[in-house]
Amino acid sequence: MRAERVRFGLLGPLRIEAGAPPGPAKHRALLAALLLSAGNAVPVERLMTLLWDDRPPASAEPVLRVYVSALRKLVDGIVTVPGGYLLAVEADEVDCHRFERLVSRARRAREAGRVAEAADDFRAALALWRGDALADVESSALRRLHAVPLQELRLTAVEERAELDLRLGRGAEVVGELRALVAAYPLRERAWALLLDALCQAGRRPDALAAYQQARRLLVDELGLEPGEELREAHRRALAADRPAAAPRPVPINETPPDISDFTGRTDVLAWITSRTAGPGAPPAVLVLHGPPGCGKSAVAVRASATPNLPGGRLYASLAGRPAGAVLEDLLRCLGCPDGAVPVGVAERVRLYRGMTAGRSLLVVLDDAADEAQVRPLLPTGPGSLTIVTSRSPLAGLEGARAYELDVLGAGEAVDLLAAVAGRDRVAAEPEAARRIARLCGGLPLALRIAGSRLARKPGWTLDHLAGRLGDERRRLDELSAGDLAVRGSLALGYQGLAEPERRLLRALGALSAPDFASWVFGADLEPLAEAGLLQSRGLDEAGQERYGWHDLTRLFAAERLAEESAPGPDVAAGGGEAGRGRDLAAGRGAAGRRWVLGEVAGGVLARVRRARAALLPAEPGSGRTAARTAESLLETGRLRGEARWLSAERRFLVATVGDLRAVGLYEAAWRLAFYLTPLFELGGHHDDWHATTATGLDAARAAGHREGEALLLRGLADLHRIEGRPQAAAAALRAAQPLVEGLELARITLRLGLVEERPEAAEHALTRCLRVFEEAGDQRGTADALRALGAVRRDPALLERGRAAYHELGDPRGEAEALLDLARLHLDARRPGPARECAERRLRINRRLGDRLPEAATLLLLARIATSEGTPETAAALARDAVATYREHGDRRRAAHGMLVLATAHLDLDEIDEAVEVIAAVMGEFDILGDGRGRAEAERLAQEARRRRGRSA
């Protein structure tokens, strides 16, 4: 006859197949009482005794009727019979009755000599257990009358089944199970006797003898008794090696998932794991692989787990969203703990797990851990064991653990992975498209695997076609989905685990396009997002701030969340007739949400950058700082240096923000930020950023109709052209700015025209007029700038000294340093090397005090020229090399090339003709690339001098 399916469970927490068990405790106790007498009537008096533990109240009977009525809504088949109630179910539909029937059947099979059949029946019976019987039923009477006998029968069944397994030669297979049994119930002598026999059968006689000594100590310490006859007999068999023939050596546990056949790269992290694998007898090691979603942490852990050959075997557990207790149950079963022997409580499971792993050298992979508390109970205790944990968080609080941050793949490895999945021939046929796909996937292994899978499933697609689809940022996350793999889903797991304030913060970050940022932008702690793997800490920047970055696909995900979870703004609500289309509506919401977020932070960003600019340009008109100062304190010097470092640290963020503000129509904020950044770009030689932000700022100023803003940016553009050695372009920008302004700003533009004017008389006339305007208006900075410019044009050291003093009065050491540079050059050109050196060294001290590397390089180059004039070419060469190295470090090719000319001159003076020719040849090509005619002409002059000296020496 076919057995009924199990519909009700009492061997563990109360379970109903059709739905959730009753909530109230008395309802659960009533259902348990009826199930324990399945198909039989239970008198009312007995039910009242069971529900109220022998002390029913006076109102118990009417209350019982209410409980029955409520229970009937959850469970069918409750029948009222004379004097009581009956639950009309078959006994085999209740797990405890089926358990008892299977145990009885197993014993009958054993008596009939059918050993294997009996063992299977015992195994089927024990598989019904899910924990302690009646685990969540609050009735001491029910537990006393039913749970205790059931538990005893379970333990006896485990022992009887183990005995049958021994008769079948399965001793090695039951050792782990019996160890778990004696760990949970250390006073059961029969279990110890079976363990000794199993160890002997597995060929582990020393372990069997050690187990006997352990059992004896427990019995003597706990009960004051020596072992009984059964255990002593097992000990005698172990001493005499009287055992059945040993079964084949068991295969070590291996629960890790299969390795990925197209695994690519990651040699560094694999070598790191190998180097930190504990040796035999060493304390257990814990390694944490952490990184952003989709970076391949799990794949690395599985690949790494195949290398260490630990004798205890390999365990694997996915921790995603699971409590430690549930994971422990799985691990205990893998270690051989019988189904019915797994304790209910987490603390008991932890003790049993630690006991079972104490004598084994295991490799354990714990995948996708949320936090330290989830991991700690799962760490094995055996010497030489290794645990590899993967997490989006570094789990910094995990004691004794070593962490490795897994980043995305490099360009070459990314293309290799794409080729391994999509096909090497296809990638080889379109290498440029393959590199573009790798870039659009940001080197993220999950994204690359999905892209490769899509190509593999679409043999008619070219790589260029897929690259084009991925190029649309609005669709990229949609494209990166294949089967059950999806970048969006991987990111969503981390997002859904955040508290709502952190979700709002991630959505706000979605308004930014910057590759990295610090906490000051939103005035919020970003560490929770890093703990969730959605941001990555980049460490401290040069300003001492913790800096955070993110993967480009995470940025798109955050922007998508901002679009889909932000309420539409007024301009979106007033949108046109296409609002019914989902993507357009989401885009509208996203634009409104992004504009709102950027509008909220724009004021703070502008104020912070304006404060930093004021430190670089003290008393600049409009800065709010016009008072002169007569002394510079060490504290103030530190502030000036700190503000320059802060601007440098924030450069990439601020450059991106200019574009963000322009993109959402915040034109005023966009052009002002672009203007405020110009001193940073000049100080650091960031010419590409200067060009880009000026173009964006000009566009924004014109869109806003702000004439003065346009003029300010044209003035900055002229400064850039002048620094790059393009005076005509600078003059054109200044002339375009002149009609836009009047008054003092017009004077500042005229001053710069004087600096690029090729006719000395016209330049002097313009600068003299500007000086008069600034002096009459009381503009101290304008006066200082005009004095310095006029002194340079007239070659008048007195005017330059007045300009230097004016900068000093303003508390502007950088302006003072520039005036000293002009003075030094003037003295050098007049063949006064002593005063030139004095001015240059004063400037060098200021440069170094402020930490201004590029101005320092300019000073070193001037000192090199002074050394040449003093006849010390060795010193000149060393200074020139230092200057060129700094320029190259900062990517300033033009100034590096001019520095090479000074170095070539020193080589000539040292009579190192070959070295000089080599330098000159290299720098000529550089000047050609840069389009620097004056530099090229000077290089040709030096080349001619080298030929002359070579001919003379020949």
Side-chain angles (χ1 to χ4, degrees):
M1 184 177 70
R2 182 181 63 84
E4 297 290 339
R5 70 182 186 278
V6 177
R7 294 176 52 209
F8 300 96
L10 296 173
L11 301 179
L14 188 61
R15 186 174 69 180
I16 302 175
E17 181 191 59
K26 295 297 184 189
H27 294 190
R28 291 199 302 275
L30 174 59
L31 178 57
L34 294 172
L35 289 170
L36 286 164
S37 298
N40 298 306
V42 186
V44 168
E45 292 78 6
R46 179 169 174 77
L47 287 173
M48 291 190 298
T49 298
L50 294 173
L51 264 63
W52 281 280
D53 287 330
D54 301 321
R55 294 185 300 276
S59 60
E61 187 168 351
V63 171
L64 178 63
R65 287 196 293 271
V66 174
Y67 291 166
V68 171
S69 177
L71 199 58
R72 281 173 168 155
K73 296 176 182 178
L74 293 177
V75 180
D76 295 331
I78 299 178
V79 180
T80 303
V81 297
Y85 298 96
L86 175 148
L87 181 53
V89 296
E90 295 293 330
D92 246 19
E93 293 180 284
V94 185
D95 60 1
C96 63
H97 300 306
R98 179 177 289 201
F99 168 70
E100 291 173 327
R101 181 180 65 79
L102 287 172
V103 168
S104 297
R105 193 170 78 179
R107 287 170 172 170
R108 290 194 300 271
R110 180 185 61 196
E111 294 303 320
R114 300 192 301 275
V115 177
E117 180 185 330
D120 289 342
D121 282 342
F122 274 124
R123 191 169 286 106
L126 291 166
L128 295 169
W129 285 78
R130 297 171 288 107
D132 289 346
L134 306 178
D136 58 351
V137 175
E138 298 179 15
S139 168
S140 58
L142 281 173
R143 289 179 181 168
R144 182 178 67 252
L145 295 170
H146 297 280
V148 172
L150 283 168
Q151 177 71 7
E152 182 59 33
L153 181 59
R154 177 183 68 163
L155 296 176
T156 303
V158 171
E159 292 169 344
E160 292 180 22
R161 201 220 70 235
E163 184 180 18
L164 292 172
D165 282 334
L166 287 172
R167 289 165 63 181
L168 293 167
R170 299 171 180 167
E173 298 175 23
V174 298
V175 167
E177 181 179 9
L178 289 168
R179 280 200 183 277
L181 187 59
V182 298
Y185 303 95
L187 301 180
R188 293 185 73 88
E189 291 192 49
R190 188 182 186 195
W192 281 106
L194 290 167
L195 176 60
L196 265 64
D197 285 340
L199 287 166
C200 285
Q201 192 177 94
R204 297 166 60 184
R205 182 168 172 264
D207 290 341
L209 297 174
Y212 175 77
Q213 294 302 327
Q214 183 182 358
R216 182 179 178 278
R217 281 194 302 271
L218 281 168
L219 292 168
V220 171
D221 292 345
E222 295 291 331
L223 303 177
L225 298 174
E226 289 290 337
E229 180 59 32
E230 184 177 12
L231 182 51
R232 291 201 306 273
E233 181 60 32
H235 183 221
R236 284 193 289 272
R237 286 195 297 272
L239 288 170
D242 182 13
R243 63 184 187 275
R249 189 173 183 84
V251 178
I253 302 167
N254 187 0
E255 296 288 332
T256 53
D259 197 4
I260 301 172
S261 60
D262 49 26
F263 184 92
T264 302
R266 300 302 196 192
T267 54
D268 289 347
V269 63
L270 292 172
W272 178 81
I273 293 171
T274 300
S275 70
R276 281 157 179 77
T277 301
V286 181
L287 305 179
V288 178
L289 304 178
H290 66 100
C295 71
K297 302 180 291 292
S298 301
V300 170
V302 171
R303 169 58 63 98
S305 70
T307 304
N309 188 22
L310 300 184
R314 301 178 179 89
L315 296 177
Y316 172 88
S318 174
L319 275 56
R322 302 180 66 204
V327 179
L328 277 168
E329 182 176 3
D330 291 347
L331 293 175
L332 287 169
R333 292 180 192 278
C334 292
L335 289 169
C337 184
D339 295 338
V342 176
V344 174
V346 175
E348 290 78 12
R349 290 180 180 180
V350 172
R351 282 196 295 271
L352 179 56
Y353 177 70
R354 289 173 178 168
M356 294 186 71
T357 60
R360 309 178 69 155
S361 180
L362 286 163
L363 186 143
V364 180
V365 176
L366 302 176
D367 198 12
D368 201 9
D371 52 36
E372 295 89 341
Q374 190 184 24
V375 171
R376 286 191 187 100
L378 310 176
L379 299 177
T381 57
S385 292
L386 172 65
T387 304
I388 302 176
V389 186
T390 71
S391 177
R392 300 182 182 197
S393 161
L395 304 181
L398 195 58
E399 300 82 355
R402 297 291 179 267
Y404 188 104
E405 184 173 8
L406 205 61
D407 206 345
V408 297
L409 295 173
E413 287 186 343
V415 173
D416 287 345
L417 177 56
L418 184 67
V421 179
R424 300 194 181 280
D425 292 343
R426 294 177 71 180
V427 168
E430 297 181 77
E432 185 53 44
R435 286 190 287 271
R436 186 179 171 205
I437 290 172
R439 285 195 301 271
L440 291 170
C441 290
L444 192 71
L446 176 61
L448 290 161
R449 188 168 296 284
I450 292 170
S453 297
R454 296 199 69 190
L455 288 169
R457 293 197 324 270
K458 299 278 189 178
W461 280 16
T462 63
L463 272 69
D464 187 64
H465 174 74
L466 178 59
R469 295 172 71 102
L470 292 172
D472 184 352
E473 282 196 351
R474 296 170 302 173
R475 295 173 48 90
R476 192 174 303 163
L477 290 175
D478 293 331
E479 294 292 335
L480 291 174
S481 176
D484 61 352
L485 294 178
V487 172
R488 181 186 285 111
S490 178
L491 293 167
L493 287 175
Y495 177 73
Q496 290 161 4
L498 296 172
E500 182 53 33
E502 280 73 40
R503 291 189 191 184
R504 285 197 300 270
L505 179 57
L506 184 72
R507 294 197 294 269
L509 288 170
L512 307 177
S513 64
D516 55 59
F517 29 76
S519 297
W520 68 270
V521 179
F522 289 101
D525 183 11
L526 299 177
E527 194 58 29
L529 299 182
E531 289 288 334
L534 296 167
L535 299 183
Q536 287 76 54
S537 172
R538 302 294 190 224
L540 298 181
D541 59 27
E542 57 191 289
Q545 306 171 118
E546 181 81 12
R547 199 145 206 92
Y548 296 88
W550 54 359
H551 193 277
D552 199 47
L553 295 175
T554 307
R555 178 185 65 80
L556 295 179
F557 176 80
E560 188 178 85
R561 291 301 89 217
L562 178 64
E564 295 185 5
E565 298 183 33
S566 299
D571 42 349
V572 177
E578 295 298 313
R581 299 183 63 182
R583 186 178 299 278
D584 291 344
L585 181 57
R589 271 202 309 270
R594 189 181 187 209
R595 179 186 172 89
W596 183 87
V597 170
L598 289 168
E600 287 292 298
V601 302
V605 171
L606 287 171
R608 183 66 186 85
V609 177
R610 184 168 54 193
R611 188 166 83 238
R613 178 186 172 98
L616 268 62
L617 295 174
E620 181 188 28
S623 70
R625 293 185 63 209
T626 56
R629 294 185 296 104
T630 57
E632 183 189 349
S633 68
L634 291 175
L635 182 64
E636 182 66 8
T637 298
R639 189 185 72 82
L640 298 179
R641 187 170 184 167
E643 293 293 353
R645 285 178 173 172
W646 181 85
L647 276 172
S648 179
E650 296 293 344
R651 177 174 60 87
R652 294 203 303 173
F653 166 74
L654 295 170
V655 168
T657 302
V658 172
D660 293 340
L661 295 169
R662 168 64 184 87
V664 298
L666 295 172
Y667 302 127
E668 176 92 5
W671 77 255
R672 286 192 180 278
L673 182 56
F675 171 67
Y676 292 160
L677 290 175
T678 52
L680 161 67
F681 299 144
E682 181 173 0
L683 188 64
H686 306 297
H687 294 178
D688 290 343
D689 289 340
W690 196 347
H691 275 294
T693 54
T694 297
T696 304
L698 279 170
D699 185 43
R702 288 162 181 161
H706 203 294
R707 292 167 60 84
E708 184 180 5
E710 183 180 352
L712 290 171
L713 286 160
L714 285 169
R715 168 157 63 90
L717 181 61
D719 289 342
L720 173 58
H721 287 320
R722 179 166 52 84
I723 290 169
E724 290 180 332
R726 294 186 287 171
Q728 293 84 2
L734 292 166
R735 292 191 184 98
Q738 281 181 312
L740 302 173
V741 290
E742 55 188 22
L744 289 175
E745 183 54 38
L746 180 59
R748 279 185 278 276
I749 290 172
T750 304
L751 184 149
R752 283 165 171 77
L753 269 171
L755 293 175
V756 297
E757 175 60 63
E758 295 181 349
R759 297 169 300 165
E761 301 82 2
E764 184 176 349
H765 177 73
L767 294 172
T768 302
R769 189 172 68 235
C770 290
L771 177 61
R772 186 167 56 251
V773 171
F774 290 136
E775 288 177 332
E776 290 174 355
D779 185 332
Q780 293 170 296
R781 170 159 291 282
T783 300
D785 290 342
L787 285 169
R788 178 190 159 209
L790 190 58
V793 169
R794 288 182 178 175
R795 307 184 64 76
D796 184 343
L799 281 175
L800 286 172
E801 178 56 34
R802 284 178 59 195
R804 185 207 62 76
Y807 285 123
H808 185 78
E809 286 294 313
L810 285 172
D812 182 2
R814 291 187 171 93
E816 185 177 357
E818 292 308 303
L820 285 168
L821 182 67
D822 290 339
L823 272 168
R825 286 170 174 164
L826 187 63
H827 287 311
L828 181 61
D829 291 346
R831 301 181 185 278
R832 296 191 293 267
R837 174 174 295 282
E838 180 188 353
C839 291
E841 288 176 346
R842 287 171 63 190
R843 172 186 161 92
L844 185 63
R845 288 193 291 272
I846 295 174
N847 297 150
R848 288 177 172 170
R849 191 169 71 244
L850 296 174
D852 293 348
R853 296 286 311 285
L854 285 174
E856 178 186 337
T859 310
L860 292 176
L861 213 52
L862 179 59
L863 283 167
R865 291 178 55 206
I866 294 170
T868 298
S869 72
E870 292 175 331
T872 55
E874 297 92 344
T875 302
L879 290 166
R881 286 192 189 94
D882 288 346
V884 169
T886 299
Y887 284 134
R888 286 176 173 168
E889 180 184 340
H890 286 75
D892 193 332
R893 295 174 63 182
R894 184 180 303 277
R895 291 179 183 176
H898 281 278
M900 294 286 282
L901 294 177
V902 178
L903 178 60
T905 301
H907 281 310
L908 288 174
D909 290 348
L910 288 167
D911 206 26
E912 296 171 348
I913 308 301
D914 291 341
E915 289 84 346
V917 169
E918 184 179 347
V919 170
I920 294 167
V923 84
M924 277 186 177
E926 189 73 354
F927 283 128
D928 287 340
I929 294 171
L930 294 169
D932 188 335
R934 293 170 62 182
R936 169 77 189 204
E938 176 62 15
E940 288 176 348
R941 186 192 68 76
L942 287 175
Q944 186 175 4
E945 176 64 17
R947 286 193 295 272
R948 186 185 68 77
R949 294 192 185 191
R950 177 173 284 169
R952 186 180 61 191
S953 63

